[in-house]
Amino acid sequence: MSNPNQSLSALNDRSRDIFRRIVDLYLETGEPVGSRTLSRKAAVSLSPASIRNVMSDLEELGLLEAPHTSAGRQPTELGLRLFIDGMMQIGDPSPEERSELEARCTIDGTTPAAVLESVSTALAGLSQGAGLVLVPKQELNLKHIEFVPLSPGKALAVLVGMDGAVENRVLELPLGLPTSALEKASNYLNARLQNRSLEEARTQIIAEITSRRAELDDLTKTVVEQGIATWTGEESGLDQLIVRGRSQLLKDVKAIEDLERIRHLFDDLEAKENLIRILEVAKAGDGVRVFIGSENNLFSLSGSSVIARPYINAQDQVVGVIGVIGPTRMNYARILPMVDFTAQLLGRSLG
């Protein structure tokens, strides 16, 4: 049975109660739940034998499964979906969590980019997962550019934005390029950045080089062209993804299969374009979205889940997406309101 609503309608009150308690215990401990454990910890007024019968029925419905290493049961992805959509009780972040997140969302004395980095790190620590922030790729409004020699054939382009943000990008240059060519290129570009938008400066520079009005020797022109390329790289049309807290995902590794799952998840995190597409779905929605395991092809091997919510500005425009990625047994009831609260904070802080 693949429809969680149909599965929910097939449950009587006793089965719903047993199922909810099993999922609660599983998400709390990360361990499959046995009938005796449930009878003892959840204070269920049924014998272990009666609980086993209910668990067997839930397994037939596709809501529970028995891992080969345990006699207990754990929810399937279908079971988790049913629980999250129809049974989970959601509270509010704790005062400590709210205080931590509010402090990280304060912009005073820092840049919006630094706030987003700080918030994703805080979410990772509080959730024991990896914090995700999706932000629109914006053209860097440059105030100053400088080229610093690194090694033969390489230089560092130091880009300083109008907001004080600094980006460093490595350039591949001809071997034997003199330092004087880097200095000339910096002076040439900075002169054309004055009182112009980045696009206006780029258009003028290209026009000057094309018409040969630019008084540049061939080596300096090469540096200038490489510098222009750093403004409009191949990623300029894509949203940017900030991922923080990968190490948090290693804290809950209990077996070899867990380690293999984490390895696959790390591979997923490296495939940022695919993860960005998932968050774009959340960006187009309203409220918090939960993506569970193989519901999305990206996580078919790692068995991971994403909790994500868009954040909006003062004009009710969606700016980006904040979220957490972790194992499917993450504590959804705790993390979901945390993500929701953080998105609201970001909307207010970033305006």
Side-chain angles (χ1 to χ4, degrees):
M1 191 172 292
S2 59
N3 189 324
N5 292 325
Q6 292 175 352
S7 297
L8 184 60
S9 64
L11 302 180
N12 57 32
D13 290 342
R14 184 174 70 174
S15 296
R16 289 190 191 202
D17 183 56
I18 294 296
F19 175 69
R20 180 181 57 78
R21 291 172 186 270
I22 289 173
V23 179
D24 280 337
L25 272 175
Y26 172 73
L27 296 180
E28 178 186 334
T29 65
E31 300 286 351
V33 180
S35 56
R36 292 188 180 280
T37 300
L38 188 63
S39 178
R40 186 176 67 253
K41 286 190 174 183
V44 178
S45 58
L46 291 173
S47 68
S50 296
I51 293 174
R52 282 195 294 273
N53 289 334
V54 175
M55 293 170 79
S56 179
D57 292 340
L58 293 169
E59 192 169 358
E60 286 187 13
L61 287 170
L63 302 178
L64 296 181
E65 62 185 0
H68 66 278
T69 56
S70 171
R73 299 292 187 274
Q74 65 187 36
T76 61
E77 290 178 4
L78 176 65
L80 284 173
R81 173 55 64 194
L82 181 149
F83 175 78
I84 291 169
D85 290 349
M87 304 177 74
M88 184 171 68
Q89 296 179 341
I90 300 173
D92 295 314
S94 70
E96 294 77 16
E97 291 166 347
R98 295 171 68 95
S99 177
E100 169 75 6
L101 292 169
E102 285 170 346
R104 296 296 188 116
C105 283
T106 301
I107 287 185
D108 295 344
T110 187
T111 64
V115 170
L116 292 171
E117 296 258 2
S118 179
V119 166
S120 60
T121 301
L123 268 182
L126 292 171
S127 69
Q128 298 299 296
L132 308 174
V133 180
L134 185 70
V135 293
K137 177 68 176 179
Q138 296 179 349
E139 188 178 41
L140 181 66
N141 291 318
L142 282 184
K143 177 182 179 182
H144 182 78
I145 185 169
E146 185 171 348
F147 299 105
V148 180
L150 287 178
S151 60
K154 289 187 178 181
L156 187 69
V158 181
L159 312 175
V160 182
M162 296 298 293
D163 61 355
V166 178
E167 292 188 21
N168 298 322
R169 303 176 190 177
V170 177
L171 306 181
E172 300 287 341
L173 298 171
L175 292 173
L177 189 78
T179 303
S180 59
L182 298 179
E183 295 173 351
K184 289 179 183 177
S186 296
N187 293 335
Y188 174 82
L189 290 171
N190 287 324
R192 281 147 187 83
L193 285 171
Q194 297 299 316
N195 301 317
R196 290 185 178 89
S197 70
L198 192 56
E199 184 58 30
E200 288 172 342
R202 190 178 72 86
T203 300
Q204 177 186 348
I205 292 165
I206 292 175
E208 288 183 3
I209 291 177
T210 302
S211 64
R212 298 187 178 182
R213 287 185 287 114
E215 297 178 0
L216 302 172
D217 57 62
D218 289 341
L219 292 177
T220 304
K221 185 173 73 171
T222 297
V223 180
V224 168
E225 290 173 339
Q226 289 287 351
I228 293 174
T230 65
W231 303 350
T232 54
E234 58 187 35
E235 295 183 352
S236 60
L238 297 175
D239 284 350
Q240 289 179 311
L241 178 65
I242 300 171
V243 182
R244 292 293 178 270
R246 286 178 173 86
S247 61
Q248 299 286 347
L249 300 168
L250 293 170
K251 291 184 176 180
D252 197 28
V253 174
K254 300 176 181 177
I256 294 297
E257 56 265 28
D258 278 348
L259 193 58
E260 183 67 8
R261 178 184 59 77
I262 292 297
R263 186 183 69 78
H264 284 301
L265 177 53
F266 278 15
D267 290 341
D268 294 340
L269 293 176
E270 290 302 317
K272 286 189 174 182
E273 286 189 28
N274 291 328
L275 191 51
I276 285 173
R277 290 190 184 97
I278 293 175
L279 296 181
E280 288 287 358
V281 174
K283 188 176 178 181
D286 183 26
V288 183
R289 295 287 301 273
V290 180
F291 303 89
I292 304 172
S294 59
E295 288 181 351
N296 190 286
N297 290 334
L298 178 60
F299 303 132
S300 60
L301 293 177
S302 67
S304 306
S305 291
V306 173
I307 300 175
R309 186 194 191 283
Y311 56 95
I312 61 175
N313 61 17
Q315 290 73 45
D316 288 333
Q317 298 170 324
V318 173
V319 179
V321 180
I322 187 83
V324 169
I325 185 171
T328 54
R329 63 173 180 263
M330 72 167 77
N331 190 334
Y332 298 91
R334 175 173 169 264
I335 298 174
L336 195 149
M338 192 188 302
V339 170
D340 189 34
F341 179 69
T342 305
Q344 295 178 48
L345 285 177
L346 279 178
R348 292 197 295 268
S349 296
L350 301 180

